[in-house]
Amino acid sequence: MEHSRVSYQVMWNRLISVVEEQAQALVRTAFSTSVREAGDLSAGVYDTHGRMLAQAVTGTPGHVNAMADAVAHFIRRIGRENIFDGDVFITNDPWEGTGHLHDITMVTPSFHKGALVGFFACTAHIVDIGGRGFGADAASVYEEGLYIPIMNFAELGQVNATLVNIVRGNVREPDQLIGDMYALTSCNEIGHRRLIDMMQEFDLSQLDGIADFILDNSRRATLERIAALPRQAAEGEMTIDGFDKPITLKVKVTVHEDRIVSDFSGSSGLDKKGINCPLVYAKAYACYALKVAIAPEIPNNAASLAPFEIEAPANSIVNALHPAPVALRHIVGHFVPDTVYDAFDKIVPGLVPAEGAGCLCNFQVSLRPRSDAPAPADARRSEVLTFNSGGSGARPEHDGLNATAFPSGVMTMPIEATEHAGPVIIWRKELRPDSGGSGKTRGGLGQFMEVGAMPGHEFDIQAMFDRSQYPARGRRGGHQGAATTIAQDDGSSMHVKGKQFVPHGRKVVMAFPGGAGYGEPMERDPALIRRDLARGYISAETAARDYGLSASEIAAVEASVRKGEAL
């Protein structure tokens, strides 16, 4: 049956709705708080060749864009002749999945009237996969947890009981992980059902026609945007904390007529600890950075991502090969966009934002009964992972967003959900004044957080932070954002990365970084300065020093606040 462009466009929108429902099903059924509360997941539909046709709006670029390449690996490993209705495939391979062992990717073939018509895939970050636990301390991937090669989770509708038993025997939270596996499987099943409904409604026997329409139009639209750019090359560079020594990311961005190449030659080599980034994850964020800069409204799929190419030397920090430790690959991967933007700003000025906090401000707490004295009977072991963020960088025309994760888009987790997951107490979680860099547009604010344990517990905290030595840099005269700090409440110093012991009764006090400013601070709208002062985003000292607000103007703002007048 022939279909018009209008009907194909309707089907395209429908496919995006299908995968969004798929993702929301995962949010509703997942056991891990990282999925339910932070949206650390991805979902997508693929054609029979393993090309991504549509992705869910809910999810992260690292998962989605890395998962774009994953289904082709499944097809190659399993073999088309071994794919049957009722099968479900699984892996957490960092190099054929989404970059580290803590991501489970599930792929389900979709059959209609006895014929394979496509695949559904989804990925979720799980709290524990065994090994050392989620953190940077491992010296090889073998220490980082249980490895699941591409294999059957279910065969002809029958779940692989042997795999389930092996997983249960190797992780700290077996019910949670197995629950997430079933949630991933159910998520794909929801997508499959909605796809079949669509195919029946539009009288489709296969997806080749709509696939060609989606990919051809996406490719053409993306190439038009690239062709409109200057044919130039520029270099970008940034330095971040690393584990125990600084890491340098370097990139040369070259705009060709039909593609943009990001070459990371000159970047640091492998780190001894688990902050290395597989190429698939670095590619995901390099592609994302450029795509949102020049073609944000073109939906993500195989064709719209293809013109963004990445090159990196083998066993560099952004192209870690097996068996490099990669558990915290997001630490480096989330700084890839700002590195790319440092170069791209020289090609197309006035388009990209200033640097932001970059990587997520995550920490995982491993709680247990206190060992220095008898523990209460109800003391228990628990693993609690919480996702948090510093501020995003200021944009050319708008302030940066407070406590908002760019580039990952992962949501900050509510205190209530974190405390529900185990005997942990979040004593403080609030915006951090003066942390956003001053500028014509201001950087987004970071956060203060204090974490402790319920009485009778001690804990290890896995710190996964950066930007303590290298805060976000401003652009076009904007000021840098505030740096990360971490210490115990008795003043004992702590490292921004790694597992560290916290004794009974102690708290960990953290300040997450702010985004940098854009443009000269003295060019900022005075009304916005007064608003920031009234809201507590900036102090009187900053208002005077950076923005030139007079003492009388500051006093007037403070008087208005005391009277309860809004600005």
Side-chain angles (χ1 to χ4, degrees):
M1 177 181 176
E2 288 292 325
H3 292 276
S4 67
R5 289 182 59 86
V6 172
S7 62
Y8 273 142
Q9 184 64 53
V10 171
M11 291 182 217
W12 189 355
N13 292 338
R14 181 74 165 271
L15 278 179
I16 294 173
S17 297
V18 165
V19 292
E20 180 59 21
E21 183 174 353
Q22 177 192 1
Q24 290 302 321
L26 181 56
V27 170
R28 291 192 300 271
T29 58
F31 282 50
S32 295
T33 52
S34 54
V35 180
R36 291 198 321 269
E37 304 295 341
D40 195 15
L41 60 97
S42 62
V45 61
Y46 300 72
D47 69 7
T48 55
H49 304 288
R51 299 177 299 181
M52 186 171 72
L53 301 181
Q55 66 152 97
V57 176
T58 301
T60 73
H63 281 161
V64 170
N65 293 354
M67 199 178 71
D69 293 337
V71 173
H73 292 305
F74 279 80
I75 296 172
R76 175 173 53 85
R77 294 285 188 190
I78 300 294
R80 291 182 180 276
E81 69 281 4
N82 300 316
I83 296 174
F84 302 101
D85 196 2
D87 288 351
V88 182
F89 308 116
I90 187 173
T91 195
N92 68 341
D93 187 312
W95 291 272
E96 296 189 347
T98 59
H100 66 175
L101 295 175
H102 280 79
D103 285 345
I104 300 286
T105 297
M106 203 76 76
V107 173
T108 303
S110 189
F111 284 79
H112 181 47
K113 296 181 179 179
L116 178 67
V117 294
F119 296 88
F120 282 90
C122 54
T123 296
H125 179 98
I126 47 89
V127 171
D128 182 65
I129 195 66
R132 284 180 173 267
F134 191 34
D137 298 288
S140 80
V141 73
Y142 297 114
E143 300 175 34
E144 293 183 325
L146 178 67
Y147 164 64
I148 305 171
I150 291 176
M151 62 183 298
N152 283 79
F153 176 73
E155 188 170 359
L156 300 176
Q158 188 70 34
V159 171
N160 185 336
T162 301
L163 172 62
V164 170
N165 287 335
I166 290 173
V167 170
R168 281 190 170 278
N170 281 275
V171 302
R172 299 170 180 84
E173 301 278 357
D175 290 342
Q176 185 178 88
L177 178 48
I178 299 303
D180 283 337
M181 288 182 172
Y182 278 101
L184 287 160
T185 305
S186 299
C187 153
N188 282 350
E189 177 62 22
I190 291 294
H192 164 71
R193 291 177 189 175
R194 298 298 178 263
L195 175 65
I196 299 307
D197 289 344
M198 187 194 89
M199 294 181 71
Q200 291 173 340
E201 180 180 337
F202 290 96
D203 194 23
L204 297 176
S205 60
Q206 38 78 22
L207 297 178
D208 290 354
I210 180 62
D212 290 343
F213 176 83
I214 290 172
L215 298 177
D216 289 347
N217 279 279
S218 299
R219 182 180 300 104
R220 186 181 308 111
T222 305
L223 292 178
E224 286 175 359
R225 299 298 176 84
I226 293 174
L229 298 173
R231 302 286 181 277
Q232 293 181 13
E235 295 182 352
E237 180 177 338
M238 71 183 303
T239 301
I240 57 177
D241 295 347
F243 188 85
D244 54 12
K245 62 180 179 181
I247 286 170
T248 298
L249 301 178
K250 292 185 178 181
V251 68
K252 181 178 181 181
V253 176
T254 305
V255 179
H256 300 276
E257 182 180 359
D258 59 350
R259 68 194 190 282
I260 300 178
V261 179
S262 299
D263 184 349
F264 284 82
S265 296
S267 296
S268 294
L270 288 182
D271 198 89
K272 293 180 179 179
K273 293 297 184 178
I275 59 174
N276 300 292
C277 186
L279 185 63
V280 65
Y281 197 77
K283 175 184 175 184
Y285 275 104
C287 291
Y288 171 73
L290 291 169
K291 187 174 180 302
V292 298
I294 68 171
E297 75 285 357
I298 300 173
N300 257 20
N301 54 57
S304 64
L305 295 173
F308 302 103
E309 300 177 4
I310 180 172
E311 300 172 356
N315 279 328
S316 60
I317 194 73
V318 289
N319 187 9
L321 303 182
H322 187 275
V326 293
L328 298 192
R329 87 301 192 219
H330 70 277
I331 296 287
V332 168
H334 290 177
F335 287 116
V336 164
D338 276 339
T339 308
V340 169
Y341 283 163
D342 188 43
F344 197 68
D345 183 64
K346 300 164 187 171
I347 299 173
V348 185
L351 180 64
V352 300
E355 290 182 5
C359 70
L360 290 163
C361 302
N362 297 352
F363 59 88
Q364 183 157 330
V365 179
S366 301
L367 301 116
R368 56 182 175 269
R370 63 185 300 181
S371 59
D372 61 331
D378 61 350
R380 57 192 173 95
R381 290 183 173 273
S382 185
E383 296 289 326
V384 179
L385 172 64
T386 180
F387 284 19
N388 307 283
S389 179
S392 65
R395 295 159 288 177
E397 302 297 331
H398 302 280
D399 291 344
L401 300 174
N402 300 332
T404 299
F406 177 85
S408 69
V410 170
M411 293 178 284
T412 292
M413 291 171 61
I415 291 173
E416 295 82 359
T418 301
E419 293 182 336
H420 184 264
V424 64
I425 301 177
I426 305 299
W427 291 99
R428 183 188 188 195
K429 184 178 173 70
E430 61 187 54
L431 291 178
R432 180 185 180 187
D434 283 338
S435 57
S438 300
K440 180 180 180 181
T441 52
R442 175 186 43 75
L445 303 186
Q447 300 179 73
F448 287 119
M449 281 193 75
E450 292 184 20
V451 61
M454 293 287 286
H457 293 82
E458 61 189 26
F459 63 94
D460 293 322
I461 185 169
Q462 272 283 9
M464 310 177 199
F465 312 137
D466 207 279
R467 292 259 188 233
S468 68
Q469 302 299 316
Y470 299 91
R473 298 176 297 181
R475 203 177 300 284
R476 310 284 170 182
H479 293 189
Q480 69 181 26
T484 302
T485 65
I486 178 173
Q488 291 191 30
D489 59 349
D490 64 352
S492 303
S493 63
M494 299 182 73
H495 300 292
V496 292
K497 294 182 182 69
K499 179 179 284 189
Q500 296 155 85
F501 174 66
V502 181
H504 179 264
R506 293 261 65 86
K507 302 174 188 175
V508 178
V509 181
M510 296 162 279
F512 300 147
Y518 193 107
E520 295 291 342
M522 296 304 291
E523 297 178 10
R524 185 165 177 78
D525 183 343
L528 296 179
I529 301 169
R530 292 193 294 269
R531 182 207 64 182
D532 286 353
L533 180 60
R535 291 180 176 178
Y537 291 175
I538 62 173
S539 64
E541 291 76 14
T542 296
R545 182 189 66 242
D546 293 353
Y547 294 112
L549 214 62
S550 68
S552 60
E553 289 175 307
I554 291 172
V557 171
E558 292 173 341
S560 296
V561 172
R562 286 194 296 271
K563 294 177 183 177
E565 296 174 359
L567 282 177

